[in-house]
Amino acid sequence: MRSAPTILHLDMDAFYASVEQASKPSLRGKAVVVGGLGPRGVVATASYEARVFGVHSAMPMGQARRLAPNAAYLVPRFALYRSISEQVMTLLRALSPLVEPLSLDEAFVDLEAGDTAWDERSARLVGTKLRADIRAVTGLTGSVGLAASKMLAKIASEQAKPDGLVVIEPGTERAMLEPMPVRTLPGVGPATGDHLRRAGIHTVGEIAEAGEDELVRLLGKAHGHALFAMALARDERPVVAERETKSVSVEDTYDVDIHDRVRVGMEVQRLADRCVRRLRGAGLSGRTIVLKVRRYDFSTLTRSETLRGPTDDPAVVREAAARLLDSVDTTGGVRLLGVGVSGLADYTQEDLFAQAAGAGAGAGAGAGEETPEAEEPAEEKAVARQEAPAERRWPAGHDVRHAEFGHGWVQGSGLGRVTVRFETPESGPGRVKTFRVDDPELEPADPLPLVSLPPGADRPTEASGPPDTRTP
């Protein structure tokens, strides 16, 4: 562990919900819940106003509605969240070449590698300026933790929430950790926490007092050794700039179980096409096609087929996914389907047609084998898919434009009607009007920027790093 608090952890505050509040003046200061709105949807993010009622991420949406019936419930706008995330990541990359994104709203930065901080004072100045820059560029707030290790920096950012900065100075780590609950440490979830509690261990200090041998006896060798080291504030993990993508996948959860086998097949083909679009967007190809099926009784099956070479051809992926579906019994109904590609490469097999034909003749190694579930993007994994009858063409929270009234967002739709609030990020709360869902003057629109820069002003780039804070 280094001798200065030069590892920075940034966590954007209630990111998705904060974006929605920033873009919708009428929702500022109010409870906002973002997630899948169907009966099987889950919460992706809840604003701090919604958290007061007990709503939190990964909670079933039905439970959230019971806890906070008057909150605004919105469908995610992932394209907007990604664009704002990239603005934030650009600011981080201006600080150091070592930036490790954990998700759209969270990242580690090694300030020492960027020569932007070397002691407590310089690190604090960088953290303060970063928070100001994020607010200026995005209109949002982020919490910053600074410490000598990744574990401590993340704990510091949690303490800083919301909209704060906490620095843990080297030499103070043990004293700070000792009174904290065991769940503070990474990797200690509900099950491990209960196991420790039954052994009379409730705080991080009590973990250290128990000793390494006792922890190994309670939790096993690997977990016991790791937990003891963390309780002593030992964490030597470096900030890793690039994380290797292991798989690309998409999945949909359905409000109503699908019983029609033809419909199941059509959904798998659609998912295969979506997966290939994501694969190509990342400039990748893959050898192993994975099908995921969650049945009516919540049992989840995965099947995989490995091709002779990597591909990004939609026809090849569709055919492989269809073959895998043939080996799955969907009697009784399907509640979730997913298609993924793993065994990734940055090149594509040329002989695609021979590859597809060979796989059909049994050349595909591992056809019908069960595999671990493919990894999915966390922000989309938690959100259940919305069915799309006519009255659902206008997802709650999404942007629209009316020929007469201008830019607005959908408050809700149903029974052939759509209700729109007309406002922009820089206006006050706007007026509400209701239209027919097929009104020719109403159309979907792109989101507006959360912050408008003065004419001629440029947003920060990776080349525009922080000012030199060295003392002459």
Side-chain angles (χ1 to χ4, degrees), residues 16 18 20 116 122 142 165 208 214 222 229 251 279 297 321 380 388 425 428:
Y16 301 166
S18 294
E20 299 300 342
T116 50
S122 58
L165 182 149
E214 176 65 8
E251 69 175 38
L279 194 69
D297 59 357
E380 296 190 32

Side-chain angles (χ1 to χ4, degrees), residues 201-338:
I201 299 173
H202 301 87
T203 67
V204 176
E206 289 171 345
I207 290 177
E209 290 175 6
E212 191 166 15
D213 292 342
E214 176 65 8
L215 291 171
V216 169
R217 187 187 69 80
L218 288 171
L219 305 173
K221 187 174 181 179
H223 201 17
H225 287 314
L227 197 59
F228 183 70
M230 289 189 290
L232 298 181
R234 297 174 185 164
D235 179 19
E236 301 296 336
R237 294 173 301 157
V239 175
V240 181
E242 297 294 335
R243 288 174 168 266
E244 182 182 357
T245 301
K246 296 181 179 178
S247 65
V248 173
S249 63
V250 296
E251 69 175 38
D252 280 341
T253 301
Y254 303 96
D255 291 348
V256 179
D257 289 347
I258 303 176
H259 293 82
D260 183 356
R261 181 75 177 189
V262 174
R263 167 81 187 284
V264 172
M266 292 174 61
E267 289 294 310
V268 168
Q269 298 294 290
R270 184 181 59 80
L271 289 166
D273 287 342
R274 278 177 51 196
C275 184
V276 168
R277 286 197 296 271
R278 181 171 293 174
L279 194 69
R280 288 180 167 180
L284 297 170
S285 60
R287 297 181 64 232
T288 301
I289 314 303
V290 181
L291 175 71
K292 176 179 175 182
V293 180
R294 181 165 297 149
R295 298 187 289 194
Y296 70 98
D297 59 357
F298 287 87
S299 62
T300 302
L301 302 175
T302 57
R303 299 287 187 267
S304 71
E305 176 179 303
T306 299
L307 307 174
R308 293 190 301 181
T311 183
D312 66 352
D313 186 284
V316 174
V317 177
R318 281 197 302 266
E319 290 171 15
R323 287 192 296 272
L324 295 171
L325 179 61
D326 288 341
S327 68
V328 177
D329 180 9
T330 59
T331 304
V334 170
R335 60 184 287 121
L336 177 148
L337 291 167

Side-chain angles (χ1 to χ4, degrees), residues 327-361:
S327 68
V328 177
D329 180 9
T330 59
T331 304
V334 170
R335 60 184 287 121
L336 177 148
L337 291 167
V339 173
V341 177
S342 61
L344 301 182
D346 57 2
Y347 65 95
T348 303
Q349 175 74 28
E350 293 294 337
D351 191 6
L352 297 177
F353 293 105
Q355 179 189 113

Side-chain angles (χ1 to χ4, degrees), residues 134-146:
I134 289 172
R135 186 185 290 273
V137 171
T138 69
L140 305 176
T141 64
S143 296
V144 170
L146 289 153

